[in-house]
Amino acid sequence: MIEKIFNWTYNLFKEWGYSDTVSSYANVFVNFILLGIAVFVIHYVFKKILIEVFSTIAQRTETQFDDLLVANKTTKYIAYLIPLLFVNITVPIILKDFAYWEGFFRKGLEIYIVFLVLWIIRSILNAIKDYLKRLPDFNDKPIDSYIQVFMIVLWIFGVTSIVLILFETSFTTLFATFGAISAIVILIFKDTILGFVASIQVSVNDLVRIGDWVTFEKYGADGDVVEINLATVKVRNFDNTTTTIPTYSLISDSFKNWRGMQNSGGRRIKRYVLIKANSVRFLHTDELEGLKKIQLVSSYIEHRQQDIDKYNTNNNIDKSLTINGRNMTNLGLFRKYINQYLANHPGINKDMTMMCRHLQPTEKGIPIEVYAFSNDKRWINYEYIMADIFDHIIAAVPYFDLEIYELPSEKGVHTE
């Protein structure tokens, strides 16, 4: 049927008295004009049918996947494929008397078909990626990496098919050739291979998800992960800059992922104030009476002093010197006050570790550290809770006759 449509002009030119050569070339010329018209009509018809019908179906269905197929131009690429297959069938018939050109056109068409099939699969994969990113269970997964892995595999098959078409060789011969140059291939695609392996390990071990807050000091990254690709991980820092990190660095270097904190019941507060060592002393009985007015430690002072007096009496302690026996110190009472204050603070998670601890003294004083967890993990609220606690602690220091260490300023230094 196709041969009758395209090869009728040869006999017509022969009847008009032209030679075989002229008739053959004229026949090919007319046939290519007819083929161009046929391809235009087929493409126009199928483009209209596929795009308009599929768009109508996409609008009427509840799922968004078909809308994404339209948005990624899947139907448009398929509309190109159908006339191309028609051309691939027709060209050998048109050029049956021109073996060289028939082989040349056939290879070109087959290579173009390979590329077009890859583009169709790529558009479908992009539609799947966009659809999965809209689902709550997948919006934090590195979908881009999976799609890129699929595309790398497809491109390997595509390039292999193109080489087989160009050189008309067998797959066994091609595979043996690739085996001989595998070392060069590995060297050229080293970063891609590292990224591929790292992407799989990141996904399998769930090291990083989209939306995670990560801190990567080596690359100056401190912010949220917005994209995970085969080769790179993109981090949007809190100053609205963007840092790109090689994917394989996530398994070769150390970084901090704050997801555990975000999924826990609180965000850690770990900060200290420096108390001057020479301001620490024992408390006298009359001073304790005055400190009982501080409600958070009033009951503690009462019971603690009873235990101390009982111990000193039972052991005949000479209290003419304060250092003898057991005594309360202003720093110890201050630490107890901080513990009680934390226990009563509404911004602290009482179910997690909560304490005020005494760190190793330094040349700048004695660090008294607050170690607790805020029940609000949002950054602004967390900073507010922490500042509120330390505002109070700093203001409370003088009530216990303690001093906070700070370097003297120029105004504080008097020279003669």
Side-chain angles (χ1 to χ4, degrees), residues 107 111 159-170 174:
K107 289 180 180 180
I111 291 172
V159 171
T160 302
S161 301
I162 291 171
V163 173
L164 293 175
I165 292 170
L166 284 174
F167 297 100
E168 297 182 350
T169 184
S170 64
L174 182 64

Side-chain angles (χ1 to χ4, degrees), residues 307-411:
D307 293 339
I308 291 174
D309 291 341
K310 183 178 179 181
Y311 174 85
N312 291 336
T313 301
N314 292 339
N315 290 275
N316 298 316
I317 302 299
D318 179 11
K319 294 303 294 178
S320 60
L321 289 177
T322 308
I323 193 174
N324 292 332
R326 297 175 63 181
N327 300 279
M328 294 178 66
T329 64
N330 57 349
L331 184 59
L333 188 58
F334 181 58
R335 286 191 292 107
K336 181 62 180 180
Y337 174 80
I338 294 175
N339 277 317
Q340 292 297 106
Y341 179 75
L342 294 175
N344 286 274
H345 197 286
I348 296 298
N349 188 332
K350 311 305 186 300
D351 297 325
M352 302 183 74
T353 304
M354 179 181 61
M355 64 177 172
C356 173
R357 59 178 182 167
H358 190 303
L359 301 182
Q360 172 71 34
T362 68
E363 71 278 5
K364 295 181 179 180
I366 304 171
I368 301 300
E369 183 182 76
V370 170
Y371 192 100
F373 291 83
S374 66
N375 53 23
D376 195 330
K377 295 169 287 186
R378 291 172 295 180
W379 189 10
I380 295 176
N381 294 351
Y382 162 78
E383 293 289 346
Y384 174 82
I385 292 170
M386 184 165 56
D388 181 66
I389 290 172
F390 277 87
D391 286 348
H392 186 91
I393 290 174
I394 293 170
V397 168
Y399 286 85
F400 296 86
D401 199 23
L402 294 166
E403 295 182 44
I404 294 178
Y405 173 84
E406 60 181 353
L407 291 172
S409 64
E410 293 182 0
K411 292 183 178 180

Side-chain angles (χ1 to χ4, degrees), residues 229-249:
N229 293 322
L230 185 63
T232 60
V233 175
K234 188 179 292 184
V235 178
R236 185 176 61 242
N237 300 311
F238 294 128
D239 59 358
N240 288 328
T241 60
T242 301
T243 301
T244 302
I245 302 170
T247 305
Y248 58 81
S249 294

